[in-house]
Amino acid sequence: MRLGSRVDVSLWLGAVLVAILLAAAAISFVWTPYPPAAIDIPHRLAPPSLAHWFGTDSLGRDVASELLAGSRISILVGVVAVGIGLVFGVALGLVAALSKGSVEDAIMKACDFVFAFPALLSAIMLTSTYGPGVVNAIVAIGVYNVPIIAKLTRATGNGVLGREYALAARAAGRGPVSIAFDHVLPNIAPALIVQATIQFAIAILAEAALSYLGLGAQPPQASWGRMLSEAQNVLFNAPMLAVYPGVAIALSVLGLNLLGDGLRDALDPKLKARA
Amino acid sequence: MLVYLLQRLAVLAATLLAASLSVFAVMNLLPGNAAETILGPTATPEAVAALSHKLGLDQPAAIRYVHWIGGALRGDFGLSYAYGSPIGPLIASSLSVSAPLATLAMALAAFIALAAGVYAADHRRRTGDAVVMAASQVGFAVPNFWLAILLVIVFAVTLRLVPAGGFPGWEQPMLALRALILPAVALGVVQAAILTRVSRSALLEALNEDFMRTARAKGVSRRAALWRHALPNALVPILTIMGLQFANLIAGAIVVENVFVLPGIGRLILQSISNRDTLVVEDCVMIIAIIVIGLNFVVDVACAAIDPRLRNPVA
């Protein structure tokens, strides 16, 4: 009873936080208190007030508007980077699980190898050659997601391929592609959804770090990481400017992680029993 | 063990070769070239061609690769375009800050994670366990560079106990260590959040093993069995994740060094990017890859030394 309620708390708290993140992004497309990039030097570093809920930054931009608009870039990077990871990772993982032998070995070795290059390092390499920008950040984070999804797909896919219904399908003459789409994918989907949620959270953290370093979103694009970087220059005058974007990042990541944990426990009763 | 070591050494050499090829390919073979990056979008084709010739970029890729690796193996990492000085000493000087920072952070993370993990596993499904797990969940969600900024706000801006950043150099070891404490805490606490979960689940796994029941049946106390039997058996997964996490720790150090204005490899990379000093970035990324791959090799060998079953891949 106690365990069940803890799982529900994770799931619901996570779902609420993620819903707030998505709502913030959706609202920012139609309404923000002020244009997020509107500079207003006479009102720079204004404290929180009814006119500016979280005050203004060093260029007089409305912090609440920037926070709302900043959620867009986090979601964009998360969705595309996880999408890249899912498309290529699932394909590679399925090929590894279905082919076995040296192909499986080579794919898994390549996956281990990519782990030596965290998203940030890959983004640094891409940025130093092609200049900073969101696209490079997305590619770097997406590439790092591929081996994680590929390893999970192979491990869970191998489990499904050993089950009676998969063996029966093979005995009935079904080809590997048909088995992959009709039997493996539907059965490993829950595990993939949970991992995708966690990778989404990691992508938000990586995007924030890259934008903080000036390698991700470029002005005038609003980004939580870039807001933190700018806030650091006025830390002694307006320390709270460095608090709001950090809270936004942490709550988004916390929400996605809780949602992932809650989903895993809800979708896999065996794990729930062991928790 | 010797056969295992030789096999692992062969894999290490192959991995390093693949890493160097990847770094070289990303930085050199994709469209665009370093000369264009250095000179910027307004450069004339003649200026780009002249600089390409000076940097040797007009030579075939295979020759440039051999030249780069050959030089690095002899300790010659090339010349920095921006600083006009050899890159080797620049990297060595930055590593004298980054390596102690990463080591301090990892030591702190391991200490917190083992203590919290053992406590949570020992108090499974009780309040203490729930508090540790909730704290690790929050810790995992906090970006390390934001924690670093918060530490600066509290300890430098509000309490004025430490400077907000900078590094006095190793000529003053105590001051230098003091400058590394806050960055190490920012890096270590976030890593500890991840490692705590691994430690707890590895320990719970070990606690369910038959040898634990045997130890308890023979009269070993619960706590002694946990420390003497469960923990050593849980060390293999913990060490493996620590090795994998080290790459993320180094990546985190790049960002956190920036918060505290530490002259480490992260600062060197960022300055080189803004100076468009491509060769320095290439060398730094390669050095980081070597450190990460080398450390994972050490972890694998250490795990095989702890658990002989791992020496035979078939087992």
Side-chain angles (χ1 to χ4, degrees), chain B residues 6-48:
Chain B
L6 289 174
Q7 280 173 345
R8 285 293 302 140
L9 273 171
V11 174
L12 173 72
T15 314
L16 286 175
L17 182 69
S20 68
L21 282 169
S22 310
V23 172
F24 183 82
V26 171
M27 306 283 292
N28 290 272
L29 297 186
L30 296 173
N33 86 28
E36 285 171 17
T37 311
I38 289 168
L39 294 173
T42 52
T44 61
E46 293 76 25
V48 171

Side-chain angles (χ1 to χ4, degrees), chain B residues 58-73:
Chain B
D58 51 353
Q59 290 177 328
I63 292 177
R64 278 187 282 146
Y65 173 76
V66 172
H67 193 194
W68 177 54
I69 286 297
L73 287 174

Side-chain angles (χ1 to χ4, degrees), chain B residues 40-108:
Chain B
T42 52
T44 61
E46 293 76 25
V48 171
L51 185 61
S52 291
H53 181 70
K54 189 183 165 196
L55 296 174
L57 297 174
D58 51 353
Q59 290 177 328
I63 292 177
R64 278 187 282 146
Y65 173 76
V66 172
H67 193 194
W68 177 54
I69 286 297
L73 287 174
R74 289 193 311 272
D76 173 14
F77 289 89
L79 276 178
S80 155
Y81 179 79
Y83 295 97
S85 61
I87 296 172
L90 283 176
I91 293 180
S93 151
S94 69
L95 280 179
S96 76
V97 178
S98 295
L101 171 62
T103 312
L104 265 177
M106 197 40 118
L108 183 71

Side-chain angles (χ1 to χ4, degrees), chain A residues 16-83:
Chain A
V16 167
L17 289 172
V18 172
I20 292 173
L21 171 69
L22 294 175
I27 290 170
S28 77
F29 278 107
V30 287
W31 176 82
T32 49
Y34 296 84
I39 293 171
D40 181 13
I41 299 291
H43 294 103
R44 65 191 293 272
L45 299 181
S49 63
L50 276 179
H52 299 283
W53 306 336
F54 295 113
T56 60
D57 70 4
S58 55
L59 294 175
R61 289 170 298 197
D62 180 57
V63 173
S65 306
E66 283 190 283
L67 284 174
L68 278 173
S71 61
R72 285 183 224 159
I73 208 84
S74 292
I75 292 176
L76 172 77
V77 171
V79 167
V80 183
V82 171

Side-chain angles (χ1 to χ4, degrees), chain A residues 97-109:
Chain A
L98 288 163
S99 59
K100 306 272 186 240
S102 55
V103 175
E104 182 182 28
D105 213 33
I107 291 176
M108 288 306 108
K109 282 266 181 327

